[in-house]
Amino acid sequence: DSGVTQTPKHLITATGQRVTLRCSPRSGDLSVYWYQQSLDQGLQFLIQYYNGEERAKGNILERFSAQQFPDLHSELNLSSLELGDSALYFCASSVVGQGSLTDTQYFGPGTRLTVL
Amino acid sequence: DAKTTQPPSMDCAEGRAANLPCNHSTISGNEYVYWYRQIHSQGPQYIIHGLKNNETNEMASLIITEDRKSSTLILPHATLRDTAVYYCIAVLRSNDYKLSFGAGTTVTVRA
């Protein structure tokens, strides 16, 4: 158990719908990362938040958005869903304090999204 | 981040050591070598990381060559639960970073 929690575990929805995935980081971790993993594309970085602010952006579609709340949990919102959005979505967290060196990302168990 | 190369698959007998090679010939001086593994559709699990020196923890040992162009992850006594995809990545030393996994090595531990 990494200490990172994600809900829900599974999500099945229809095209055009909107869903919200939730992540709670490990206690003490300030940074949250979102990744998408599909069969044909491997693990793709989407976005990173640090202490409530967006820090880095990857290949995140405009239909997707995220935020990190004052209690440090994060939500990933996916809208206008398409069949191709079906994938595993992972959240990771790390300490990443001010001026820190590279630290370790710990992953949650993921949310499996199926768009029908 | 530097590109890493790993064999696509390997088998290992239960109870024996598993040695997983990784080539990172273009790694820069401030890039760490990280190893993660992913057991079928579960979240990637951190194993170990290092910069120059060999490292050991309760899960594995990491041997990095002196020129840092390659490394080996050693699972000292493989069990069936070690069957997974193992990823070797080079991570830039910075305050923020993103991970990108390649195909990795699929390790199958056989009884």
Side-chain angles (χ1 to χ4, degrees), chain A residues 34-46 84-90 107 111-113, chain B residues 38-44 85 87 101-103:
Chain A
W34 285 98
Y35 292 87
Q36 179 192 57
Q37 186 176 42
S38 54
L39 280 174
D40 57 347
Q41 296 230 341
L43 194 77
Q44 300 284 317
F45 168 73
L46 295 177
D85 297 327
S86 294
L88 280 165
Y89 291 83
F90 291 108
F107 284 78
T111 293
R112 181 179 292 277
L113 174 66
Chain B
Q38 189 171 22
I39 298 169
H40 182 63
S41 295
Q42 296 181 21
V85 180
Y87 299 100
F101 293 177

Side-chain angles (χ1 to χ4, degrees), chain A residues 33 35 37 43 45 48 55 88 90 96 99-105 107-109 112, chain B residues 32 34 36 38 41-44 46 49 87 91-99 101:
Chain A
Y33 311 76
Y35 292 87
Q37 186 176 42
L43 194 77
F45 168 73
Q48 178 200 3
R55 174 165 275 188
L88 280 165
F90 291 108
V96 190
S100 68
L101 301 176
T102 299
D103 66 344
T104 300
Q105 292 185 29
F107 284 78
R112 181 179 292 277
Chain B
Y32 283 77
Y34 270 75
Y36 280 81
Q38 189 171 22
S41 295
Q42 296 181 21
Y46 165 76
H49 74 281
Y87 299 100
V91 179
L92 187 64
R93 179 175 168 161
S94 65
N95 280 348
D96 53 79
Y97 64 102
K98 53 185 182 292
L99 301 181
F101 293 177

Side-chain angles (χ1 to χ4, degrees), chain A:
Chain A
D1 184 359
S2 66
V4 178
T5 60
Q6 289 187 247
T7 56
K9 194 172 174 65
H10 300 279
L11 200 47
I12 301 175
T13 189
T15 54
Q17 295 297 305
R18 172 190 168 95
V19 297
T20 297
L21 313 183
R22 183 188 166 101
C23 168
S24 292
R26 295 187 320 152
S27 177
D29 283 0
L30 300 176
S31 206
V32 168
Y33 311 76
W34 285 98
Y35 292 87
Q36 179 192 57
Q37 186 176 42
S38 54
L39 280 174
D40 57 347
Q41 296 230 341
L43 194 77
Q44 300 284 317
F45 168 73
L46 295 177
I47 198 164
Q48 178 200 3
Y49 279 82
Y50 170 69
N51 206 21
E53 295 192 3
E54 182 184 303
R55 174 165 275 188
K57 225 169 185 176
N59 299 322
I60 187 167
L61 299 172
E62 284 193 15
R63 301 183 285 109
F64 296 0
S65 65
Q67 54 184 327
Q68 186 179 27
F69 295 87
D71 67 352
L72 300 177
H73 91 271
S74 177
E75 291 181 356
L76 179 67
N77 300 299
L78 315 177
S79 62
S80 302
L81 284 167
E82 302 174 359
L83 296 178
D85 297 327
S86 294
L88 280 165
Y89 291 83
F90 291 108
C91 163
S93 74
S94 71
V95 176
V96 190
Q98 288 279 340
S100 68
L101 301 176
T102 299
D103 66 344
T104 300
Q105 292 185 29
Y106 293 91
F107 284 78
T111 293
R112 181 179 292 277
L113 174 66
T114 302
V115 182
L116 301 175

Side-chain angles (χ1 to χ4, degrees), chain B residues 23-99:
Chain B
N23 182 286
H24 31 80
S25 57
T26 62
I27 196 168
S28 64
N30 56 355
E31 285 183 296
Y32 283 77
V33 178
Y34 270 75
W35 284 83
Y36 280 81
R37 73 180 182 184
Q38 189 171 22
I39 298 169
H40 182 63
S41 295
Q42 296 181 21
Q45 179 187 22
Y46 165 76
I47 301 174
I48 198 167
H49 74 281
L51 185 64
K52 294 180 186 177
N53 301 320
N54 298 337
E55 303 288 344
T56 295
N57 62 21
E58 64 280 1
M59 285 184 70
S61 295
L62 175 61
I63 309 298
I64 303 175
T65 58
E66 196 168 336
D67 62 8
R68 300 208 330 121
K69 291 186 177 181
S70 65
S71 61
T72 301
L73 178 75
I74 301 172
L75 307 177
H77 304 287
T79 70
L80 298 179
R81 286 181 294 181
D82 291 323
T83 293
V85 180
Y86 287 76
Y87 299 100
C88 165
I89 55 176
V91 179
L92 187 64
R93 179 175 168 161
S94 65
N95 280 348
D96 53 79
Y97 64 102
K98 53 185 182 292
L99 301 181

